[in-house]
Amino acid sequence: MSANTTTRASTFVDEKRLAGRLAAMARIGATEKGGVNRQALSKEDAEAQRQLVDWGNSLGLKPSVDAIGNLFLRLEGTDPSAAPVLSGSHLDSQPTGGRFDGVYGVLAAFEAVEAIIASGARPRASIDIVAWMNEEGSRFAPGMMGSAVFAGARELDTVLAVADATGVTVEKALADVRESLRDVPERWLGERAAAYVEAHIEQGPQLEKEGLTIGVVTGIQGKRTFKVRVDGEAAHAGTSTRAERKDALLAAIAMVRALADALHDAEDIVKFTVGRFDVKPSAPSVVPSSVDFSIDLRHPDSQVLQALGDKVRPLCEAHAGVCAVQVTELSTAMSLEFPASLRGLIRDAAARLDLPHRDILSTAGHDARYLHPVCPTGMIFVPSHLGLTHCEAEFTSSADLAAGARVLAEVLIELACRQAVTNTMRSLPLSSQCSLD
Ligand code: HGY
Ligand code: MN
Ligand code: MN
């Protein structure tokens, strides 16, 4: 086939097929209001991984799992010595999550690979579809465990030892999931990657507001997460006097109020969230003996994030009163900017496909954060209806989902056909590197 007859892989992306797979995945862990509850390493997560492997087997993709539970499906390239190009996201969800957060990126990568196969192109480098373990961090905190361990940013053993609220460790839950994937071989942890591209819903209202289809993600805002433990003393609600009490709840509330006041900004850019607030023993006639609460703090300016995050511990300690308080920082991730090379590839692909697009900062976190230091990394956004997400009303049209997969197919085939992928690579003509059947 000569260069000008190269049929672009993106023309083989099938909107109905992608929508069908997303619907099938949405049935796994489906909630009554149309969302999903598919928390990390749950039986629903295992079922979703099984489904992905089965789809991969029917396409001849080679599955593998690494020691932290990241799942890979490989389209072999013609040059086995070349580092693979990775694309994917996560299958796990929030407890009342939406049908698109994460799983769209995994299935868009699957659809893009299926389209690349159908186009007859045979990429030089292998393409690995990946489902990262525990991106959301709702059952096991912090999130992004799989991508962080893959990238060497977190220690495998430390993460394996993390337990959920019932005391089940990642290690134990992972072993149970592995049981349902016994036919899937293990692979090296942190194998090389030539580049990583993640498609994801925007989880904000901007693209829809401006009538755009594609977001060329410029970077990810910084995020610091903490867990706070307040210890008081259980006492009788009727007999203990205020003077005697060590009321963990009142102390925790004072801390949260002080943090909210100190972190308040008139521009509404600071994102301060206490999403988890566990009171014990949580009995109406017992003065609370302890409170565990979470803090999720984000800002696009790393210096501001550093300064604001450094206030957390002193403020909690200053409002502990007669109670004890322990503040633990779980994750510290400064703002990052994706390389111009990947942003250029994504922007050019959207333009080639005549898709209205713009640069956009991600205010949500993604696994791409951990791939960014490892290899040239980029992200493609598609619109979220009204910006709704981390809720069951999350929605993106199948046309927009397919458009994102088309851009992804174009970018993946470009990356997989190059001699080398760098942060500052030049664009090479597609057919100069790819062999076509
Ligand atoms: O929290 C986040 O930003 C991601 O959606 N887990
Ligand atoms: Mn996500
Ligand atoms: Mn999410």
Side-chain angles (χ1 to χ4, degrees):
M1 246 186 197
S2 70
N4 56 14
T5 58
T6 307
T7 311
R8 287 207 166 282
S10 55
T11 57
F12 292 86
V13 166
D14 182 325
E15 178 179 333
K16 278 212 175 71
R17 183 171 59 198
L18 175 57
R21 289 205 176 103
L22 279 162
M25 279 293 189
R27 285 191 284 274
I28 302 174
T31 60
E32 264 152 46
K33 295 184 192 149
V36 290
N37 181 5
R38 199 168 48 228
Q39 298 188 57
L41 302 178
S42 59
K43 65 177 176 38
E44 295 80 12
D45 189 10
E47 198 185 325
Q49 294 187 49
R50 180 71 258 168
Q51 174 64 81
L52 190 68
V53 169
D54 292 347
W55 281 332
N57 288 339
S58 61
L59 214 51
L61 304 179
K62 288 204 174 76
S64 63
V65 180
D66 69 15
I68 194 57
N70 298 313
L71 174 61
F72 301 83
L73 300 178
R74 173 165 290 186
L75 170 65
E76 291 290 357
T78 56
D79 175 359
S81 69
V85 172
L86 270 57
S87 181
S89 189
H90 56 94
L91 290 174
D92 69 297
S93 80
Q94 292 290 347
T96 52
R99 289 178 291 138
F100 303 98
D101 178 0
V103 61
Y104 166 63
V106 176
L107 294 182
F110 194 98
E111 181 60 32
V113 164
E114 185 154 9
I116 287 170
I117 294 169
S119 75
R122 288 178 51 229
R124 192 182 61 78
S126 297
I127 299 176
D128 282 351
I129 299 162
V130 55
W132 300 111
M133 192 279 282
N134 187 30
E135 189 276 345
E136 293 289 13
S138 55
R139 179 184 178 193
F140 299 105
M144 300 181 208
M145 284 182 167
S147 51
V149 170
F150 174 89
R154 283 190 190 284
E155 287 298 319
L156 175 64
D157 294 343
T158 316
V159 171
L160 289 173
V162 172
D164 66 11
T166 66
V168 175
T169 61
V170 168
E171 185 167 26
K172 170 68 176 75
L174 196 50
D176 293 346
V177 170
R178 203 73 186 79
E179 263 309 291
S180 63
L181 298 172
R182 258 172 303 178
D183 56 317
V184 177
E186 182 132 354
R187 98 182 218 154
W188 286 110
L189 183 58
E191 217 182 85
R192 292 177 308 153
Y196 174 69
V197 191
E198 180 167 353
H200 205 285
I201 55 171
E202 177 197 343
Q203 297 183 294
Q206 229 37 56
L207 293 176
E208 182 184 56
K209 252 189 207 158
E210 299 176 30
L212 302 172
T213 310
I214 298 293
V216 181
V217 184
T218 55
I220 301 177
Q221 77 170 340
K223 170 168 123 174
R224 293 178 72 174
T225 61
F226 304 80
K227 68 178 178 182
V228 181
R229 169 68 189 230
V230 183
D231 280 306
E233 261 172 27
H236 193 296
T239 57
S240 62
T241 65
R242 200 179 47 246
E244 291 163 342
R245 290 184 179 194
K246 291 186 179 177
D247 187 330
L249 178 69
L250 293 185
I253 289 172
M255 291 175 200
V256 172
R257 181 68 267 155
L259 286 165
D261 295 345
L263 301 175
H264 177 83
D265 66 328
E267 307 76 27
D268 195 0
I269 295 174
V270 175
K271 305 288 188 317
F272 165 67
T273 311
V274 174
R276 175 167 286 153
F277 197 87
D278 295 331
V279 182
K280 289 193 178 61
S282 193
S285 303
V286 179
V287 173
S289 54
S290 73
V291 173
D292 291 285
F293 67 89
S294 64
I295 293 172
D296 180 320
L297 178 63
R298 309 195 197 195
H299 197 282
D301 179 323
S302 294
Q303 282 180 319
V304 172
L305 180 66
Q306 190 63 49
L308 294 181
D310 290 351
K311 291 181 178 188
V312 169
R313 185 184 307 283
L315 273 169
C316 288
E317 288 166 354
H319 289 80
V322 294
C323 294
V325 65
Q326 198 186 354
V327 179
T328 312
E329 183 151 10
L330 294 175
S331 67
T332 311
M334 293 298 136
S335 284
L336 66 86
E337 186 175 320
F338 291 128
S341 55
L342 266 281
R343 288 170 17 212
L345 276 181
I346 295 166
R347 197 176 298 115
D348 294 351
R352 252 197 325 270
L353 294 169
D354 272 340
L355 295 167
H357 57 280
R358 59 163 274 191
D359 284 4
I360 188 166
L361 172 74
S362 177
T363 51
H366 303 284
D367 291 302
R369 161 173 293 288
Y370 286 103
L371 276 293
H372 175 64
V374 169
C375 61
T377 295
M379 287 192 75
I380 301 164
F381 272 178
V382 292
S384 292
H385 180 52
L386 299 178
L388 298 174
T389 186
H390 277 196
C391 66
E392 293 155 299
E394 194 175 85
F395 178 76
T396 300
S397 73
S398 58
D400 286 345
L401 296 165
R406 288 195 187 93
V407 172
L408 183 60
E410 292 280 312
V411 171
L412 289 181
I413 194 67
E414 282 245 25
L415 289 167
C417 292
R418 289 175 182 279
Q419 284 309 331
V421 182
T422 65
N423 277 333
T424 54
M425 63 197 175
R426 293 169 294 100
S427 108
L428 296 175
L430 176 60
S431 55
S432 65
Q433 306 297 338
C434 258
S435 56
L436 298 171
D437 290 336

